[in-house]
Every structure is written in C-alpha cells, then in structure tokens.
Amino acid sequence: MPSSPVPITAYALCNAMGMTTAAVLEALAAGQSGLRACPEEFSREGVCGSLPEAPPALPATLRDRDARITRMLALTLAELAPALRRASARWTPERVAVVLGTSTGGIRETELAYRHHATHGALPGGYTVERTHALDSIIAVTRALTGARGPGYVVSTACSSSAKVLGTAQRLLAAGLCDAALVGGVDTLCQLTLNGFDGLKLLSPRPCRPFSAEREGINIGEGAALMLLEREGEGAARLLGVGESSDAYHMTAPHPEGLGARLAMARALADAGASPDEVDHVNAHATGTQQNDSSEGRAIAALLGDTPVVATKGYTGHLLGAAGATELIFAIAAIERGYMPASVGASPADPNIPARVVEARVDAPSRRVLSNSFAFGGSNVSVLLGGPA
Amino acid sequence: MSALRFSITSVAVWAPGFAEVDALVRRTPDPSVSKPSALLLPARLRRRTSLLTRMIAEVCERAMAAAELPRGAAGVVCASAYGEIQTTGALLTALTADAREPLSPVRFHNSVHNTATGYLSIATENRGFNTALAAGRDSPAMAVLEGATALRAGVCERVVVAIGEEPLPEPLAEVGGRYAPLAVGLALAPAGVGPDFVMSKETCSNNHVDTLPPLPAELSGNPCAAALRIVELWAGAAASVPLGGGYALARAEEGPR
C-alpha cells in the first residue's frame, strides 16, 4: 500500500552559495556556482564548497558543544525558529522528532584535538568525545535550541544520510510516534574527507562538472539543510515516497549498470503509488566522477526514459552527509518556482550517458521531482517530492 | 499511539568472554571467547574489517540463524555511538603526521558509520533495506525504534537490529573512557510471530533492572551497554528494561493486540 503524502511545511539551508536560504535559492535560480578555492586551513590547492562566511559561535549555554558543524546547524535552525515554535505549540514538543543525517559529526574538532595532542601531549581543554566528536551532538543542540522532545537520532550512511532521514521520519509518523519531524543533514569540510577522497583519486582540481564529457571528479562542500515535516499542514511541497536499496556490489564503486540505484527509484515510485511518466524531472546524485555519473545515467534512462535530469553539485560541491537534504530543498524550490535549474558545468554533456541532462535553466512547472542519493557501502535512496495537494 | 509492539524471535550477543546468551545472563564468562569469528564475511572481505564490523557480522549471523532466516532475507539496522572509531583514529593519526598525505582508500571507506551494513549487504547479496544510526547512549533504543517502525511500514518483512560499540582509540579514551567491546543482534518480526515485546515511552511499573545483577564492570561503561539488558529481558531475567532516551522495553502481556 502506498505511503500517505506528508506536507513539508518549512525548510532552510546554508552552503557555499550563501549563508541564508534566500541567498542560496537566488544563486540556484541564477545558475551561479558557489564553489571557491579551498580554505587555507586545509593546506590544499583546489576547489571546495566552503561557506562564504564563518557561522557565529553557539550561545554560552552550549559552549561545550560548539563546533564547526553545530554552528552551521544553529545558523540554519534559526531561520526555522518561527515554524518550529508553531509546530511545537500545535503538536507539543514531545511529538516533534529530530532525525538528522551527518557523516562528519564533529570530526573537524577531533582533527584539531589530535594535532593539539601531538604538540602538547594532551587533548585541548573542553574537548570531549561525547559532546564535541559524537555524531549525535547535532541532535542535542537541535533539542536545546528548539525544545523538541520527540525521538531523536542521527542516520549516518555516508552520502545518503540526509535523504534516508525522510524515510525514517515517514515511518515514525506512520507509526504514530510523532506528529512532526525536523529532518535534514549537516556536514563540514574536514581534512579527513578531503584527504580520503584524494586517496581514492576522485577529487577534481577544478570546479566539478557532473554529467559533462569533461568531468574530472568531485569537489567537497559543506552546509546544512533542514525541513519540517508535519502530519497536517500547508507547505510548498509534499513528501510522496521514499525508496531505499543496497547495491550489494562494492564498498565505493557503484554497480556499473546502476542496479541498486534503479531499485531505489522504483521503490520510491511504488511507495508513492506513482508511475515513471509522472516524474517531471530527476535531481540526480551526479557527483562528477566517471563511474558514478555513468551508472546513474544508465539507471535513470532504464527506468525513466528521457525524463529531464538536473545535476546540482556544480553549485555546492558534494555535501556528503548533507547532500541529500540540500538537493531535496533544490527540488522543492524547483516545484515552488516552476523551473528546472541549470546543471552548472554539465556542458558539453557526455554523449555516452543516456540521460537527458538539463544544461540550461528551463522555465516549466515540475509537479513531481525524484531526488537521488547514493553512498559508500552501496547505500541508495531515492525520494519523490510533489507540490501541495 | 506511543507504544510499539513486535516480536523478537532471537537474540545474539558477543563481547569478550560472552558469545552465548546464557553466559551473559549467568555472568559466567568463557575466557576462550576473545575474537568474533565473523564467518558471515568471506575471508577476502573479513581481513579488511574492524572489530566493530566483525562483531556486527557475528551477531547478525547468529541472530538470523537462530530465527531461521535465510541469509540476506532481512533488513538490517546497525547502531553505534561512535561507529568505526578505531579506523577513524588511525586516519586521524596519519593526518596528524602529514596533513597533505592522501589517506588509504580502504581505511577511508572503512571509516564510515555504515561500513558494517555495506559489508553485510555484499556478503549476503542483500539489495533490501539497511541503515546505520547513532544516538549516543540512546543508540540501543533508537535502533529498536528504527527496526520496529521499518517492519510496521512494510519496508521489510523481517529486520535484524545490530547494536555494537568498539573501544575508543588513544588519545580519545583519555577523555571518553575505557571499556570493553560489545555487540547485540536482535531478529525482529511483526507482532504475533512471538515472543512479543512492547516498547514505550512510559516508565514500566513492576520493573525491572533492579532485579538484575550489575553488568560486568568492563562492559558497563560501554555507551551501548543497555543493549545487553535486552538480551537479559529476552532470556526472561526481567519483565522490562530501560533502553535509554526515556524508552523502556517490556515483555508483552498476553491478549489482544
């Protein structure tokens, strides 16, 4: 039986394109990439999707959880404060769940703590594993800043994390364990992911160009993206269906024919009770590596034929644990404003990828958008969003 | 509704000295239990994996076998407070020595929180649902919640919930504490397959953990130690146990569901 649609009543995000939702979505509509030179602190030449400014520190009461990741979270959470207050008043704080995706957690602070330990023989004062490093510190900070008291946890499945949280929230709502859920993701730049993807030889020295014949790999980005789901309410979009799958193939390489990706998309459509011809466009995972774009393009073509495909990592870089939620908000903006964003950097599109890539912005309504997120470990998720009822 | 009813058809435990449910319940450690065999993973995969991934593979295999689930037939929910922290620590040490050096690709992909679910899906050719969670000391509670709601939504017909935590590496253990590793696997099925349990926010009345002996000292500091209480509950040593996050798990009363 298909899942019930869930209204998405508010959203907010920050990333390389801007510190506010308005700035980010203005840049998306204008086709302006936010990619820039990597910050000096990472001792690396090349391109990153770093925030344009440093986010402010947490309030003194949360000093023990102050970290790059919780600062980005708090910045974006502040934009949602009125909507969260309204939802808490309507449903009670005990009925507001918090389910967030992250892959990095507070690892940037742990990197600095290791360096401090190497120099001084001790970890820096105030550093803790439980509050600084832990993935779930973002849940504690969200609860402290919003008063939400419902079920709270982190989904951490690398680059699919913040799209899989939509499935979790959908199930918590269906089971009657909450009436509202704050979902999304947040990830920061850090040495570990930069040097890790460097070790895999997947970093592009220039701005990434997903689906382009000239693509060279990925750029790493950072940011936060949050959405409020409610049992009932008015919003710009609705969650229609979620499909999750595993490649069962390789820890980092995607299945060459995109088998797991196709399964995830088909399951999302089945969950929504929708047919492939009802999808107006796909926001692809499209990282910009040879293998990923090729296998995803095959999977999309096999299931959805020549449905238009948008790739948005050329704007932000790959936000890893925050990528899924970021791209879902791009899909909401496309539904709300009636356009398909330009796939910045995609021209000339790779003729060997069978997907119909949207190279320049197209002004046309999108009623249903499918957004893909794929990850290490062969973790795949596809989410179908639609306009208001 | 704020309570969830479901069956736990089998449990498995692994910690140093404790590879059998009975040994844990009776606090009779077997000194020969020092490493999880993790035979579910083919040798070529297993040799690359951490203690955490091996413990998870071990308890998943034994929980699935006891529940008579064919390999790959169930969804998998893994939960851990700090995940692949030993592998992450090794990467951080390498970065501290040289911030410009590219990292080992195998170590890097083995540092993600969903490493165990990735290896398990490959080993069992399971293209179904899996996920990996973190919720600090509430990880056992949230893992059961995720597994039970996945069953209820029909995402999978059976689900194995695996909760595991390996020791912190130095220097993190200096501030985060030193404890022994542990993993617990639970095979969950829809209510009625039996025996049934109820997870709820309410505090249980005629409980509970006070009647149980303290956990072995080396395990009690493990952030996922509450998972061991589920094993004791399943074995009948208590009527209900606290899981963390304000949730309790209780043996269901007989009667209508």
Side-chain angles (χ1 to χ4, degrees), chain B residues 98-109:
Chain B
D98 183 353
R100 287 175 174 270
E101 189 67 17
L103 295 173
S104 146
V106 172
R107 270 190 180 164
F108 179 53
H109 72 58

Side-chain angles (χ1 to χ4, degrees), chain B residues 3-15:
Chain B
L4 275 173
R5 184 174 177 138
F6 51 87
S7 295
I8 303 178
T9 55
S10 68
V11 303
V13 63
W14 193 93

Side-chain angles (χ1 to χ4, degrees), chain A residues 160-215:
Chain A
S160 60
S161 306
S162 65
K164 279 174 82 81
V165 296
L166 279 286
T168 288
Q170 183 196 44
R171 296 188 288 269
L172 290 174
L173 283 160
L177 293 167
C178 65
D179 293 312
L182 179 72
V183 299
V186 53
D187 246 12
T188 73
L189 281 176
C190 60
Q191 204 82 56
L192 193 139
T193 50
L194 285 165
N195 295 39
F197 281 105
D198 194 10
L200 283 162
K201 302 195 187 313
L202 291 177
L203 289 183
S204 169
R206 284 168 281 276
C208 67
R209 300 178 61 184
F211 286 141
S212 169
E214 296 165 4
R215 66 189 184 278

Side-chain angles (χ1 to χ4, degrees), chain A residues 48-334:
Chain A
C48 285
S50 54
L51 285 194
E53 300 165 37
L58 294 189
T61 51
L62 289 171
R63 189 171 295 141
D64 60 345
R65 294 189 185 272
D66 193 21
R68 190 178 181 109
I69 189 161
T70 49
R71 289 180 181 198
M72 292 197 306
L73 170 74
L75 176 75
T76 295
L77 211 43
E79 282 199 59
L80 286 184
L84 284 163
R85 270 197 300 273
R86 180 189 49 70
S88 272
R90 179 174 185 185
W91 305 111
T92 75
E94 287 69 30
R95 301 286 297 170
V96 180
V98 180
V99 190
L100 301 176
T102 184
S103 71
T104 60
I107 195 99
R108 180 59 188 148
E109 277 63 33
T110 303
E111 291 172 358
L112 299 173
Y114 266 65
R115 210 179 287 171
H116 187 277
H117 190 276
T119 313
H120 301 95
L123 292 165
Y127 175 88
T128 68
V129 185
E130 204 165 344
R131 290 182 295 281
T132 321
H133 175 85
L135 295 172
D136 67 305
S137 202
I138 57 175
I139 303 296
V141 168
T142 302
R143 284 174 160 168
L145 293 174
T146 67
R149 291 283 175 272
Y153 49 105
V154 159
V155 172
S156 187
T157 53
C159 308
S160 60
S161 306
S162 65
K164 279 174 82 81
V165 296
L166 279 286
T168 288
Q170 183 196 44
R171 296 188 288 269
L172 290 174
L173 283 160
L177 293 167
C178 65
D179 293 312
L182 179 72
V183 299
V186 53
D187 246 12
T188 73
L189 281 176
C190 60
Q191 204 82 56
L192 193 139
T193 50
L194 285 165
N195 295 39
F197 281 105
D198 194 10
L200 283 162
K201 302 195 187 313
L202 291 177
L203 289 183
S204 169
R206 284 168 281 276
C208 67
R209 300 178 61 184
F211 286 141
S212 169
E214 296 165 4
R215 66 189 184 278
E216 299 175 285
I218 71 172
N219 309 133
I220 309 293
E222 64 182 351
L226 303 171
M227 289 163 272
L228 180 61
L229 272 53
E230 294 184 73
R231 187 172 297 286
E232 294 164 7
E234 300 297 318
R238 292 180 303 156
L239 170 64
L240 301 181
V242 181
E244 297 172 67
S245 76
S246 308
D247 269 10
Y249 176 74
H250 190 270
M251 283 300 284
T252 56
H255 187 282
E257 298 299 318
L259 177 58
R262 200 169 77 208
L263 275 174
M265 289 188 280
R267 286 173 186 165
L269 294 178
D271 186 43
S275 63
D277 60 7
E278 291 179 87
V279 177
D280 293 312
H281 81 260
V282 179
N283 187 311
H285 185 58
T287 58
T289 70
Q290 289 296 331
Q291 278 185 313
N292 284 347
D293 293 6
S294 164
S295 87
E296 184 178 14
R298 284 170 205 273
I300 292 170
L303 186 72
L304 299 166
D306 67 348
T307 301
V309 181
V310 169
T312 51
K313 287 189 173 69
Y315 292 89
T316 57
H318 190 348
L319 271 65
L320 309 179
T326 298
E327 289 158 27
L328 283 165
I329 293 178
F330 290 168
I332 294 172

